[in-house]
Amino acid sequence: QSVLTQPPSASGAPGQRVTISCSGSSSNIRGNIVNWYQQLPRTAPKLLIYDGNKRPSGVPDRFSGSKSGTSASLAISGLQSADEADYYCAAWDDSLNGVVFGGGTKLTVL
Amino acid sequence: EVQLVESGGGLVQPGRSLRLSCAASGFTFDDYAMHWVRQAPGKGLRWVSGISWNSGKIAYADSVKGRFTISRDNAKNSLYLQMNSLRPEDTALYYCVKDDVATIPSDGGLDVWGQGTTVTVSS
């Protein structure tokens, strides 16, 4: 049971657009920045989106983040087979005084 | 090359202790906060603990508070996690992670991850 709630799975065909939601509360998402991480199979996680909607060097602009109230979303356009991975949202939680992660969403490219 | 290399994992009996280490290179270690994040087999990511650049601010997940101690040695570019009173539910891959800001609370992204060290707690 994670503090941030994500759907366990998502899928889309190559070239399609998919969104992954992340639901939180006023102690985390509403007042703090949401970051997103990508974990490819059998590898360490990688920062995908930071400061809400910024991409580290090397991350294509097919990936974008947004936030509204106590929810955030990750959008992936132009889906590719290489995008098959687990995706996690995360934010600082002021009540728990720590970083909280979503449970992760496994993305399948059909 | 920016790099984090963890060590110190292993098989340990419940109730015993273990100390994890993380060697950092390729960046100015004492400019950034650092964290430990764990991942149980087949499960998601769970933040364990974080420490500010000068050790002035430290935070722990409730599940490890009172049992784990995070520390850093900026002269040695190293991060540590002392784990006492280990429980089977502490079994996980432990990642050393760099923040992109200096202090906590952190709105920063966790921008550099090590490959992890495995801790197994079992009798």
Side-chain angles (χ1 to χ4, degrees), chain B residues 66-86:
Chain B
R67 300 188 298 123
F68 289 11
T69 301
I70 191 172
S71 62
R72 64 190 296 163
D73 185 337
N74 288 344
K76 295 183 178 180
N77 289 345
S78 293
L79 177 72
Y80 306 100
L81 186 67
Q82 177 67 42
M83 304 186 295
N84 298 333
S85 303
L86 281 161

Side-chain angles (χ1 to χ4, degrees), chain A residues 1-2 32-33 35 37 39 43-45 47 50 88 92 96-99 101-103, chain B residues 37 39 43-47 59 95 100 104-111 113-115:
Chain A
Q1 57 284 23
S2 302
N32 295 311
I33 288 172
N35 300 305
Y37 301 88
Q39 187 174 31
T43 67
L47 179 63
Y50 70 100
Y88 296 89
W92 187 269
L96 297 174
N97 193 35
V99 178
F101 284 92
Chain B
V37 175
Q39 187 169 31
K43 302 296 184 181
L45 303 174
R46 294 277 187 173
W47 177 82
Y95 292 105
D100 68 0
I104 57 172
S106 167
D107 267 346
L110 305 180
D111 63 350
W113 295 65
Q115 288 305 303

Side-chain angles (χ1 to χ4, degrees), chain A residues 3-108:
Chain A
V3 174
L4 304 182
T5 301
Q6 298 179 235
S9 63
S11 63
Q16 282 189 335
R17 182 178 187 271
V18 67
T19 61
I20 296 172
S21 62
C22 175
S23 177
S25 68
S26 57
S27 65
N28 42 66
I29 290 181
R30 183 183 294 281
N32 295 311
I33 288 172
V34 178
N35 300 305
W36 289 89
Y37 301 88
Q38 178 193 57
Q39 187 174 31
L40 296 169
R42 296 172 297 282
T43 67
K46 170 186 125 176
L47 179 63
L48 188 68
I49 297 287
Y50 70 100
D51 201 7
N53 192 23
K54 295 178 182 176
R55 289 171 283 105
S57 173
V59 174
D61 59 7
R62 300 186 296 105
F63 294 90
S64 62
S66 63
K67 185 178 87 169
S68 178
T70 59
S71 293
S73 292
L74 173 71
I76 309 171
S77 61
L79 265 181
Q80 301 177 2
S81 58
D83 298 333
E84 283 205 337
D86 294 324
Y87 293 85
Y88 296 89
C89 58
W92 187 269
D93 190 293
D94 296 325
S95 297
L96 297 174
N97 193 35
V99 178
V100 290
F101 284 92
T105 298
K106 184 175 186 63
L107 175 65
T108 300

Side-chain angles (χ1 to χ4, degrees), chain B residues 87-118:
Chain B
R87 305 167 179 168
E89 54 265 35
D90 295 319
T91 294
L93 182 62
Y94 284 73
Y95 292 105
C96 169
V97 190
K98 172 188 169 293
D99 206 319
D100 68 0
V101 297
T103 192
I104 57 172
S106 167
D107 267 346
L110 305 180
D111 63 350
V112 181
W113 295 65
Q115 288 305 303
T117 187
T118 299

